[in-house]
Amino acid sequence: QVQLVESGGGLVQPGGSLRLSCAASGSGFSIIVMGWYRQAPGKERELVATITNGGSTNYADSVKGRFTISRDNAKNTVYLQMNSLKLEDTAVYYCNIIVVTTTLGDYWGQGTQVTVSS
C-alpha cells in the first residue's frame, strides 16, 4: 500500500511562483512514473507534467516554459515548480504515482489547492 502526501499549494498573485511537493510512503513498491494533474471547477482533470524513473519529462502545452517537474528518488518525492503563474492555473493539483508491487497500479494524492488571484 502506498500513501501520498501533497503540500505547497496556496494563494499567489499573477506572475508569482509556488512549489508543490508530493511524498510517497510505504514499502514493497517501485515507482515507474510520477506526475501532476489538475482540475479546475467544472472541467475535466488534465495532465500537467510527468517524469519517469529514467528522468524523461512531459508537459502540457499550457505550462511549457513555466513549470518544471523534478524528483528526489531517495526521498520518493516529486516536485512541481510553478513560475509565471496565470489566473487560468487556478485548480486543485493532484499528485499521481504509478508503481509496481505484485502488479501495476497507481495512487493519487489528496489534492492541494492553487489559487492565482490579484
Side-chain angles (χ1 to χ4, degrees), residues 4-104:
L4 304 180
V5 178
E6 300 182 31
S7 62
L11 176 65
V12 65
Q13 294 183 351
S17 298
L18 286 173
R19 189 193 191 209
L20 307 183
S21 299
C22 177
S25 63
S27 62
F29 65 89
S30 296
I31 297 174
I32 299 175
V33 182
M34 297 171 282
W36 291 94
Y37 292 73
R38 67 186 182 186
Q39 188 167 22
K43 296 185 177 181
E44 194 171 272
R45 187 174 299 185
E46 64 175 353
L47 173 70
V48 176
T50 61
I51 185 167
T52 69
N53 56 357
S56 297
T57 58
N58 184 51
Y59 297 92
D61 185 67
S62 60
V63 306
K64 287 180 179 177
R66 300 188 298 119
F67 291 10
T68 302
I69 188 170
S70 62
R71 61 178 183 163
D72 186 332
N73 289 338
K75 298 179 180 180
N76 283 337
T77 299
V78 61
Y79 306 94
L80 185 68
Q81 179 67 46
M82 304 183 293
N83 298 326
S84 301
L85 283 161
K86 304 175 180 179
L87 295 177
E88 51 264 42
D89 294 319
T90 296
V92 177
Y93 284 70
Y94 296 92
C95 175
N96 175 256
I97 298 182
I98 299 173
V99 304
V100 175
T101 55
T102 57
T103 186
L104 284 174

